[in-house]
Amino acid sequence: SSVSGGAILGDKTRMERLSMDLRAFIRPSPSSGTLGGVAEKTREAMLLCEAAGFDVVIVETVGVGQSETAVAGMTDLYVLLQLP
């Protein structure tokens, strides 16, 4: 986030212990201004994770708004998390 300086769920930098676990794969992929809330190749990355045997794939978007809806068509479920 350009406002808060970080993501709610965190990234590889802040999830160092989890990123060392062979059962987890953390891949930051900035949207680089792409509309939809996810990077251009997010769908392909999700498919690769599924093909590699990951049962659960969590995708964090850049935010919520009227254009950050692309992830809804890529996932089985989406959830809005807000800080208190």
Side-chain angles (χ1 to χ4, degrees):
S1 166
S2 60
V3 176
S4 68
I8 292 176
L9 294 179
D11 57 24
K12 191 172 183 174
T13 308
R14 290 181 279 147
M15 297 182 355
E16 185 176 343
R17 200 166 94 201
L18 178 61
S19 70
M20 303 296 259
D21 191 318
L22 295 177
R23 297 169 296 170
F25 177 72
I26 301 170
R27 171 66 168 88
S29 56
S31 69
S32 302
T34 304
L35 289 178
V38 293
E40 187 177 331
K41 298 293 183 182
T42 297
R43 177 114 178 105
E44 288 84 352
M46 291 170 56
L47 293 172
L48 283 171
C49 288
E50 289 174 355
F54 288 95
D55 294 330
V56 177
V57 178
I58 298 173
V59 179
E60 183 180 15
T61 66
V62 297
V64 294
Q66 300 208 5
S67 67
E68 286 76 25
T69 58
V71 74
M74 299 178 190
T75 59
D76 296 323
L77 171 75
Y78 59 93
V79 178
L80 170 63
L81 299 177
Q82 292 182 308
L83 295 172

